[in-house]
């Protein structure tokens, strides 16, 4: 099968080529991939940044698995031993195991769900990592109807899902984004939009119960200034490179929380099939819609990953189409 592979860190080591077809093991299905979402996760693996995370990515010199990609939407072509939930022909979306920028990919049955009938494969592939992350952060915040939440990076992958989910839960949403995304963010449910090129959300008089930061544009200390006493800063910023990336700020967050009148929370998102089902319900209810700003064929998957590197892309999601 064709796949985007990489044996060493660095853009020059990413290439599309032939690799053996994977075979499903216990509790796995083999999926014919129709589309695969692109995430900042992919450029971290492509570049090996931040350096401190290489031990979790594979080895110090190269990532594992060899095939890039995590999100998928496609059709089950084979089921491994012990699998009763899915059969060949079932259309699914979710998280792959062993790489998804490929014609075929493996997936654990607990990390996928049936494709929402109202979404195309391209739209469904845009959801797993970004939408599940948004859902799990907002759930950890115990966001309630009537609360005021500011979401930075509101036009991006996680951000545009967070705006919709928060609004669906009855929160008053302030979206912070650039001017080209302002109309989109408002249409997705934000009651207020702040253009960061004109106004600094951390310098105003407005106060929020929750601030959910995604773009890495603001320090946690600055965001803490606009949180009400006892409020919460949801810290999700993986955009920094270097030796430690965002780790110093995130590691000191618990200490800062004890010294400040607000809390700072970082959530380790999980590949939950149950949460994919929750998202499918929101799609069915008409309150959640993936925004896909561009698609790329497999041969141009590297270009798509480059677009999400750092601050390079900030409008909905990019998706790689396979077949």
């Amino acid at each position: 099968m064709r796949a985007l592979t990489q044996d060493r860190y660095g853009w020059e080591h990413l290439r599309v080529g032939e690799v053996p077809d994977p075979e499903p093991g216990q509790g796995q299905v083999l999926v014919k991939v129709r589309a695969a979402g692109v995430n900042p996760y992919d450029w971290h693996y492509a570049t090996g940044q931040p350096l401190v995370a290489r031990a979790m990515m594979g080895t110090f010199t190269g990532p594992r698995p060899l095939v890039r990609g995590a999100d998928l939407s496609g059709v089950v072509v084979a089921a491994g031993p012990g699998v009763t939930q899915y059969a060949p022909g079932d259309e699914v979306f979710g998280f792959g195991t062993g790489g998804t920028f490929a014609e075929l990919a493996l997936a654990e049955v607990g990390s996928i769900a049936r494709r929402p009938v109202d979404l195309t494969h391209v739209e469904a592939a845009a959801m797993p990592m970004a939408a599940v992350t948004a859902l799990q952060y907002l759930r950890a915040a115990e966001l309630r109807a009537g609360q005021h939440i500011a979401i930075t990076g509101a036009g991006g992958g996680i951000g545009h899902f967070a705006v919709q989910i928060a609004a669906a839960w009855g929160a008053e949403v302030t979206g912070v984004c650039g001017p080209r995304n302002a109309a989109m963010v408002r249409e997705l449910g934000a009651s207020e939009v702040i253009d960061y090129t004109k106004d600094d959300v951390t310098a105003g008089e407005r106060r929020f119960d929750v601030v959910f930061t995604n773009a890495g544009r603001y320090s946690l200390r600055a965001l803490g200034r606009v949180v009400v006493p006892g409020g919460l800063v949801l810290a999700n910023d993986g955009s920094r490179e270097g030796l430690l990336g965002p780790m110093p700020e995130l590691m000191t967050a618990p200490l800062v929380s004890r010294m400040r009148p607000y809390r700072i929370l970082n959530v380790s998102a999980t590949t939950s099939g149950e949460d994919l089902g929750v998202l499918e319900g929101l799609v069915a209810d008409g309150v959640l819609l993936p925004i896909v700003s561009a698609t790329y064929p497999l041969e141009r998957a590297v270009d798509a990953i480059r677009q999400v590197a750092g601050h390079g892309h900030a409008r909905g999601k990019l998706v790689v189409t396979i077949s």
Side-chain angles (χ1 to χ4, degrees), residues 200-207 225-226:
D200 183 355
V201 67
T202 68
E205 297 298 322
R206 183 74 178 275
R207 296 295 179 264
R225 291 197 295 264
V226 296

Side-chain angles (χ1 to χ4, degrees), residues 84-129:
T84 58
Q85 303 94 319
Y86 301 101
D90 289 343
E91 298 192 357
V92 298
F93 80 121
F95 302 90
T97 299
T100 62
F101 295 148
E103 292 176 321
L104 296 169
L106 297 175
E108 305 289 337
V109 293
S111 296
I112 57 175
R114 296 186 185 278
R115 179 176 65 88
V117 296
D118 295 321
L119 299 183
T120 66
H121 280 293
V122 167
E123 291 171 326
M127 292 186 63
M129 186 171 291

Side-chain angles (χ1 to χ4, degrees), residues 7-273:
D7 57 2
R8 297 181 65 85
Y9 297 116
W11 296 108
E12 68 276 16
H13 298 293
L14 287 159
R15 57 181 61 88
V16 175
E18 292 288 332
V19 297
D21 292 356
E23 296 184 6
Q26 184 76 29
Q28 295 180 327
V29 294
L30 181 65
V31 179
K32 180 176 177 60
V33 182
R34 296 290 178 82
V38 185
N39 299 284
Y41 167 95
D42 300 312
W43 77 259
H44 285 299
Y45 270 77
T47 62
Q49 295 285 346
L51 296 178
V52 72
R54 289 194 176 189
M56 295 180 288
M57 296 178 189
T59 69
F60 189 77
T61 58
R64 297 291 183 274
L66 295 177
V67 177
R68 296 279 58 78
D71 292 352
L72 62 77
S73 183
V75 181
V76 173
V77 294
V83 175
T84 58
Q85 303 94 319
Y86 301 101
D90 289 343
E91 298 192 357
V92 298
F93 80 121
F95 302 90
T97 299
T100 62
F101 295 148
E103 292 176 321
L104 296 169
L106 297 175
E108 305 289 337
V109 293
S111 296
I112 57 175
R114 296 186 185 278
R115 179 176 65 88
V117 296
D118 295 321
L119 299 183
T120 66
H121 280 293
V122 167
E123 291 171 326
M127 292 186 63
M129 186 171 291
V132 165
T133 298
L135 175 66
Q136 293 180 357
Y137 264 89
L138 295 176
R139 181 188 291 140
E142 299 180 347
L143 188 68
R144 302 186 303 274
Q147 286 190 313
H148 290 77
I149 180 172
I151 300 171
T152 72
I158 295 172
H160 91 284
F161 286 121
V163 167
Q164 296 177 79
I165 296 169
W169 288 359
E172 293 292 326
V173 180
T174 295
V176 182
C177 61
R180 77 185 184 112
N181 290 335
M184 178 189 78
V185 169
R186 190 171 286 106
E187 290 174 1
L188 293 178
S191 55
E192 178 186 18
V193 176
I194 294 177
D195 178 353
Y196 68 75
T197 67
K198 297 180 180 179
D199 298 298
D200 183 355
V201 67
T202 68
E205 297 298 322
R206 183 74 178 275
R207 296 295 179 264
F208 305 93
D209 299 294
V210 179
V211 173
F212 186 8
T213 177
N214 292 284
R217 188 173 300 278
Y218 309 99
S219 69
L220 298 182
R221 180 183 293 270
L223 292 170
R225 291 197 295 264
V226 296
V227 176
V228 300
L232 178 66
V233 176
L234 293 171
N236 177 45
D237 175 22
S239 62
R240 302 173 198 175
E241 299 187 16
L243 176 61
L244 299 178
M247 295 303 295
E249 193 170 45
L250 294 178
M251 290 174 65
T252 59
L255 176 63
V256 173
S257 291
R258 289 195 292 269
M259 300 169 59
R260 304 286 177 182
Y262 57 86
R263 295 178 298 131
I264 301 173
L265 180 63
N266 175 253
V267 176
S268 296
T270 60
T271 58
S272 169

